[in-house]
Amino acid sequence: MAVETTENGNGSASLLDVRGLVKYFPIKRGFLRRTVGTVKAVDDISFDIREGETLSLVGESGCGKSTTARSIIRAYEPTAGEIIFKTEDGDSIDLAQLSLVEMRPFRRQMQMIFQDPFSSLNPRMNIYEIISEPLLVHGIGSSSEREDRVAELLRVVRLRPEYMRRYPHAFSGGQRQRIGIARALAVNPRLILADEPVSGLDVSVQAQVINLMMDLQDELGLTYLFVSHDLSVVKQISNRVVVMYVGRIAEIGTPEELFDSPKHPYTAALMSSVPKPHPSQRTKRYVLEGEVANPANPPTGCYFHPRCPFATDQCKVEVPPLVKSKDGRFVSCHRADEIELTVN
Amino acid sequence: MTTETRQPTAPLDSGFRRNDVAAPLDSRVRGNDVASARNDDMSGGNDVASARNDVASSGNGESPVAGDAILSVRGLETQFFTDEGVVRAVDGVDFDVLPGTTMGIVGESGCGKSITAKSILQIVEAPGRITNGEINYNPSGDAGSATDLLSLGANSDAMRSIRGGEISMIFQEPMTSFSGLHTFGNQIDETLRLHTNLSKQERFDLGVDWLARVGIPNPTQRMHEYPFRFSGGQLQRAMIAMAMCTNPRVLIADEPTTALDVTTQAQILDLLQRMQEENDMAILFITHDLGVISEIADDVTVMYLGKVVETGPVFSFFDEPKHPYSKALLTSIPSMFTSSRERLPSISGSIPHPQNRPMGCAFHPRCQSFMAGTCDVGEPELQSVNEEQEVSCFLYEGQ
């Protein structure tokens, strides 16, 4: 499925095609700020996002999932790679090559939702000002049209338009996250990059926001790139999931594939770590030993080999490419077709 | 946050082994008679108590038996006296922690779960104050030997020897709970200096020993390192080592895995369970994550806006939750077993600000089973609905 788009490029259904994306951050030290090393935050990854789907990036902290999202929207300058975006009239444009001015119209089509609803809204701006700012930036509408649009957006995210003149402090966390969503929707984007959008919310409010995001996707035909470390939330919202480990992709698949029959030992370990929803399912956990590799000084070969129970000599030297396995899944593991993995 | 790890230096006379501690403690206690009277009262109906009596001395991690609670919280009220008015953060909370078992306290932000934990150790920060209640601590398991910690006074020697000694605490953010200015060795040494009579070398060796037991590589070298050299998971292990080094009878864990990745969380939960088995220790585990509760708890107490809405064994809670809030929580949380792209039932509204507490049952504006004229008028009391579960909800009134 994903083959067409990642392998021969112009898959008709993909809205965004990320190819060989690399983002290194220099480590600067000393008086002269000389570069003494690089943090390989994102290290040659390729995946595509299809129109209307939710693609999730998961992994532990520091695995490069947020850096990937930020590089796509060019909040970070990618070190290398292509970010092919399909425009509304069907053209393909490599966003990585655009200047910041040329990038501007595409920014309108890609909006972000942030993690912390308490720091992502300016406390000195009222809700009308916050939500209408993207319209102002992109020069859309007259002031009365903007006001109508903000009222409409507030209704879309199930908030009362009368609240428009209130300030963020008057809202709860879940309400603030809705305001953040309304702001992202203001310019009618096609792709929403949501970076841990429900992590800062109380559990009783999380479901409201997830349901809202899924409803909006159906109503407005949105495509989501969803970044999260919460695998239960990811399982609920995603059509496909990309599992990342230290800047590289371990595995891509549907939630069911990854959760029920993982191919990469890291995916299996990750899934096994998730707490079981009922005490009767308590089992001996497959606890991953050791620590996440340091992206400034990663191990040789497969980055996961020091923690992998199946590692061979080959894994210590050779980087496993992300390849299609026998049953059409994408896995980067030398032994994907030999080993039997179960999640318990 | 750092009260636990950076205690004021005051020489303390408490012995190291918990069995030594239990005896001198009683002699120091004022109001002991009252405490024992209550204790009898409370243990009524639980006659298996004697089974636990020898545990303190033998210290073998046998399977938990219902009996005298090691920690019994009754009518705890902690209020914050702010300029805007009084916030009743903890508003009449009751629960029991049985020896060697894990009591999970679940709740969302503002439900008072952390303040309850801090109240037990009397480390509530101003303008907060414990205004009412009892915290009966009974390390020996003998009926009548419980101590009401609140009668000890927050700065008394007895309370100081219990805090961090017999009852330890680990915090949510390991990154901010250590002092960045002292080596880890120095910080664990301070705890041991306060709670043991060991020599400097013995304290160092014990520190190394504990770092090794919680799974930190090169423990001797790590004793000389500063906290910034540890990763998040390692810091949480180090904090567990520090909390465990005095062989506490009760460990209070306030969201110990919330800031960690799932893989690290699994490591820490495993470690805590191992520590509990090896040391026959009770754990009060505070979290908002029902998944973690299902993994680690023996009993569950659910809190909402400063009150206990439901308490009972973990299996009853997951199989047959009673309170509408518990039911809604359990169905609204995505789990690995819900199918993907499925809409979950959600709880409408959000948690009220503690200053604008709704009249009657605090959950009534969000409740599916709201009964007008009842739920918005009176406050429901916590009452038994069967042998195991207690619920505060008018649906079960008069059953």
Side-chain angles (χ1 to χ4, degrees):
Chain A
M1 291 158 66
V3 200
E4 283 73 28
T5 47
T6 33
E7 283 184 352
N8 59 20
N10 249 338
S12 55
S14 59
L15 176 66
L16 192 80
D17 199 349
V18 176
R19 288 187 223 159
L21 181 70
V22 176
K23 176 63 194 171
Y24 291 166
F25 292 99
I27 307 170
K28 292 183 191 280
R29 288 268 160 76
F31 176 64
L32 295 171
R33 310 305 297 158
R34 274 190 311 186
T35 302
V36 294
T38 49
V39 175
K40 297 178 175 177
V42 175
D43 197 4
D44 190 8
I45 64 170
S46 302
F47 61 89
D48 68 318
I49 308 174
R50 297 176 203 154
E51 199 128 25
E53 81 167 344
T54 301
L55 181 85
S56 293
L57 300 178
V58 301
E60 294 172 271
S61 47
C63 74
K65 51 193 193 302
S66 290
T67 307
T68 304
R70 282 159 191 256
S71 300
I72 288 172
I73 207 165
R74 295 272 303 275
Y76 292 148
E77 280 309 309
T79 308
E82 294 171 33
I83 302 159
I84 314 280
F85 185 70
K86 204 170 104 212
T87 61
E88 270 158 315
D89 28 332
D91 296 338
S92 293
I93 297 227
D94 183 1
L95 298 179
Q97 301 299 321
L98 300 182
S99 72
L100 288 180
V101 176
E102 291 167 330
M103 183 69 197
R104 221 169 172 176
F106 297 102
R107 284 250 166 77
R108 210 179 126 177
Q109 303 187 29
M110 297 187 287
Q111 289 288 311
M112 266 193 105
I113 302 172
F114 299 94
Q115 170 171 5
D116 182 0
F118 292 90
S119 62
S120 60
L121 304 180
N122 186 340
R124 288 161 186 255
M125 287 165 82
N126 66 31
I127 301 313
Y128 166 73
E129 290 168 326
I130 288 171
I131 299 178
S132 66
E133 199 180 22
L135 299 169
L136 221 80
V137 167
H138 291 283
I140 301 167
S142 66
S143 120
S144 72
E145 282 166 358
R146 283 200 296 270
E147 191 158 330
D148 291 347
R149 175 75 177 138
V150 170
E152 184 198 333
L153 286 163
L154 284 173
R155 272 191 293 266
V156 165
V157 297
R158 312 344 177 208
L159 286 173
R160 307 234 305 259
E162 303 91 274
Y163 293 164
M164 205 188 273
R165 303 290 166 192
R166 295 195 185 177
Y167 287 82
H169 71 82
F171 296 89
S172 70
Q175 289 171 323
R176 288 186 205 208
Q177 201 55 298
R178 288 156 194 261
I179 294 166
I181 293 173
R183 173 176 62 187
L185 295 176
V187 290
N188 284 322
R190 295 163 68 213
L191 175 65
I192 300 262
L193 306 161
D195 191 354
E196 304 265 11
V198 297
S199 309
L201 303 179
D202 276 308
V203 280
S204 73
V205 181
Q206 267 191 11
Q208 292 173 9
V209 174
I210 295 170
N211 287 347
L212 174 68
M213 285 185 70
M214 300 207 309
D215 290 341
L216 291 174
Q217 183 165 39
D218 295 345
E219 287 164 27
L220 307 169
L222 296 169
T223 306
Y224 290 136
L225 177 67
F226 193 92
V227 176
S228 182
H229 70 278
D230 187 333
L231 293 160
S232 311
V233 170
V234 163
K235 168 145 194 216
Q236 204 209 335
I237 201 169
S238 317
N239 296 102
R240 287 187 307 142
V241 181
V242 176
V243 181
M244 291 183 71
Y245 186 74
V246 198
R248 289 186 185 159
I249 293 176
E251 186 168 358
I252 304 178
T254 65
E256 285 74 20
E257 285 170 346
L258 298 184
F259 286 65
D260 302 336
S261 60
K263 290 267 170 194
H264 196 290
Y266 177 64
T267 315
L270 203 60
M271 300 309 163
S272 170
S273 307
V274 177
K276 306 294 176 291
H278 194 281
S280 60
Q281 289 150 339
R282 278 181 206 175
T283 44
K284 190 81 199 107
R285 276 178 290 265
Y286 165 30
V287 173
L288 206 50
E289 298 297 325
E291 302 272 326
V292 178
N294 177 1
N297 184 18
T300 55
C302 172
Y303 288 172
F304 188 59
H305 87 255
R307 306 173 80 185
C308 181
F310 305 99
T312 61
D313 289 342
Q314 184 195 15
C315 304
K316 290 176 189 157
V317 262
E318 214 176 296
V319 180
L322 185 68
V323 289
K324 198 178 164 187
S325 72
K326 270 189 281 185
D327 47 359
R329 307 248 302 267
F330 281 88
V331 190
S332 66
C333 175
H334 292 303
R335 306 191 59 199
D337 288 330
E338 308 165 27
I339 49 180
E340 282 290 318
L341 293 167
T342 48
V343 178
N344 48 30
Chain B
M1 281 302 285
T2 54
T3 333
E4 172 68 8
T5 50
R6 311 293 315 151
Q7 283 174 4
T9 19
L12 287 171
D13 55 351
S14 124
F16 174 49
R17 305 297 310 174
R18 55 176 178 254
N19 297 340
D20 303 339
V21 179
L25 187 70
D26 284 343
S27 57
R28 267 193 234 120
V29 171
R30 294 162 293 263
N32 197 18
D33 302 348
V34 193
S36 52
R38 273 181 226 121
N39 194 261
D40 292 339
D41 208 70
M42 168 206 93
S43 60
N46 276 332
D47 285 334
V48 216
S50 51
R52 296 303 296 170
N53 284 353
D54 56 339
V55 171
S57 44
S58 63
N60 59 1
E62 68 188 12
S63 63
V65 193
D68 267 348
I70 188 164
L71 197 66
S72 168
V73 175
R74 285 291 171 273
L76 180 68
E77 289 177 22
T78 304
Q79 305 184 340
F80 283 75
F81 298 88
T82 66
D83 292 344
E84 289 84 41
V86 177
V87 175
R88 289 145 70 197
V90 179
D91 197 16
V93 161
D94 303 333
F95 60 85
D96 291 335
V97 185
L98 301 179
T101 69
T102 301
M103 165 61 88
I105 298 197
V106 203
E108 300 176 90
S109 56
C111 76
K113 55 191 191 299
S114 292
I115 301 298
T116 302
K118 289 184 174 178
S119 301
I120 292 170
L121 290 176
Q122 300 189 49
I123 51 172
V124 181
E125 284 134 42
R129 209 164 68 219
I130 301 169
T131 51
N132 209 347
E134 292 161 20
I135 294 164
N136 296 310
Y137 172 58
N138 187 356
S140 66
D142 299 332
S145 62
T147 311
D148 182 0
L149 296 184
L150 294 183
S151 71
L152 295 181
N155 296 320
S156 64
D157 284 352
M159 192 60 219
R160 280 186 175 164
S161 96
I162 290 173
R163 188 192 295 133
E166 292 181 57
I167 306 180
S168 292
M169 186 157 174
I170 53 179
F171 296 92
Q172 172 171 0
E173 286 186 24
M175 302 81 179
T176 55
S177 304
F178 283 98
S179 163
L181 301 175
H182 298 267
T183 61
F184 178 74
N186 263 332
Q187 302 189 45
I188 197 165
D189 185 70
E190 184 183 25
T191 306
L192 289 170
R193 210 168 59 232
L194 288 170
H195 293 285
T196 71
N197 300 318
L198 302 174
S199 72
K200 192 168 181 347
Q201 187 57 43
E202 285 170 328
R203 293 197 301 264
F204 184 84
D205 293 342
L206 193 63
V208 172
D209 184 40
W210 272 105
L211 278 188
R213 284 171 78 173
V214 298
I216 290 183
N218 306 326
T220 314
Q221 184 197 330
R222 300 316 287 264
M223 286 289 279
H224 298 292
E225 285 180 4
Y226 288 87
F228 76 89
R229 306 264 306 193
F230 291 61
S231 72
Q234 283 176 336
L235 274 178
Q236 195 58 282
R237 287 162 185 278
M239 187 144 65
I240 292 171
M242 192 139 104
M244 292 295 306
C245 70
T246 54
N247 279 350
R249 298 302 316 281
V250 181
L251 179 70
I252 301 175
D254 186 3
E255 305 251 11
T257 60
T258 305
L260 306 174
D261 283 309
V262 276
T263 49
T264 320
Q265 168 171 291
Q267 292 174 350
I268 296 293
L269 293 181
D270 255 28
L271 175 65
L272 282 173
Q273 276 170 329
R274 192 157 52 78
M275 294 285 128
Q276 179 170 40
E277 283 160 21
E278 287 171 12
N279 300 281
D280 182 40
M281 166 182 78
I283 298 180
L284 183 64
F285 198 103
I286 293 161
T287 182
H288 68 276
D289 188 338
L290 286 173
V292 173
I293 288 290
S294 96
E295 289 275 340
I296 197 166
D298 298 302
D299 299 288
V300 185
T301 296
V302 185
M303 288 181 69
Y304 188 77
L305 275 192
K307 285 186 185 292
V308 172
V309 298
E310 173 160 1
T311 178
V314 70
F315 276 90
S316 320
F317 174 73
F318 278 89
D319 289 335
E320 276 185 79
K322 298 289 185 207
H323 197 281
Y325 177 61
S326 313
K327 292 181 188 172
L329 266 187
L330 282 165
T331 51
S332 70
I333 292 167
S335 83
M336 305 294 282
F337 285 73
T338 49
S339 47
S340 51
R341 308 293 296 168
E342 181 184 289
R343 270 155 189 74
L344 290 172
S346 64
I347 308 179
S348 62
S350 52
I351 303 162
H353 191 275
Q355 303 269 13
N356 307 319
R357 196 194 175 82
M359 288 293 288
C361 170
F363 187 61
H364 86 258
R366 307 175 74 189
C367 185
Q368 295 280 339
S369 318
F370 167 62
M371 297 177 284
T374 307
C375 302
D376 49 355
V377 183
E379 289 198 23
E381 296 277 321
L382 195 64
Q383 51 168 342
S384 300
V385 287
N386 52 37
E387 301 87 68
E388 328 186 286
Q389 289 171 288
E390 288 178 48
V391 182
S392 66
C393 177
F394 287 115
L395 289 175
Y396 301 93
E397 203 91 317
Q399 276 187 6

